[in-house]
Amino acid sequence: MTKRGIMEQDGPRAGSDVRGPGGAGGTDRATGRAGALLCWTHALAMVLTAAEAVLRPPAGWWSTAWIGSWVLTGVLLVVWALLRADRKRRYREDGRPGGDGVPDPKTCDGCCEGAPEEYGTAA
């Protein structure tokens, strides 16, 4: 895929995430923020697990921080999954094929005009 094709593909999707259909940009931003927080919390949990395995810190608060990071990761995973499911549902209701804002070239009836030939094909 050419660089031009990637930019055309990502441009409309990026714009719709910020504004969202029907002014639902708050949910789209919340989904992105929850996903980012999930990634960082998971990374912290993995670092704390590695420290637990290697260093075995004797501090009394350590086990609470270590287990708490994994609990927080699980809670954020559920929150992110619910927000993402709502976002995909709204996209489907708006008639956006694929449910994620990326048009399906097989069913778009001309909405993909100007897209490169390799758009939507497997490499």
Side-chain angles (χ1 to χ4, degrees):
M1 183 177 289
T2 65
K3 185 173 180 94
R4 182 173 160 251
I6 292 171
M7 289 171 29
E8 286 175 0
Q9 175 183 349
D10 291 343
R13 181 174 39 173
S16 66
D17 288 350
V18 175
R19 290 178 291 280
T27 304
D28 288 342
R29 280 190 292 274
T31 303
R33 289 179 179 155
L37 192 56
L38 171 62
C39 289
W40 282 103
T41 306
H42 186 228
L44 175 66
M46 290 189 302
V47 166
L48 292 177
T49 299
E52 171 70 21
V54 174
L55 303 175
R56 299 272 184 206
W61 56 267
W62 179 259
S63 62
T64 303
W66 178 56
I67 293 186
S69 66
W70 283 109
V71 169
L72 184 58
T73 299
V75 169
L76 286 171
L77 177 63
V78 170
V79 168
W80 175 81
L82 291 173
L83 287 170
R84 179 69 177 135
D86 179 59
R87 179 180 175 187
K88 289 184 82 140
R89 179 191 52 79
R90 282 188 290 110
Y91 279 177
R92 279 192 302 274
E93 287 174 355
D94 287 347
R96 298 181 195 177
D100 59 359
V102 178
D104 182 2
K106 295 176 188 150
T107 61
C108 71
D109 295 332
C111 68
C112 301
E113 287 190 30
E117 286 296 317
E118 64 269 6
Y119 180 78
T121 58

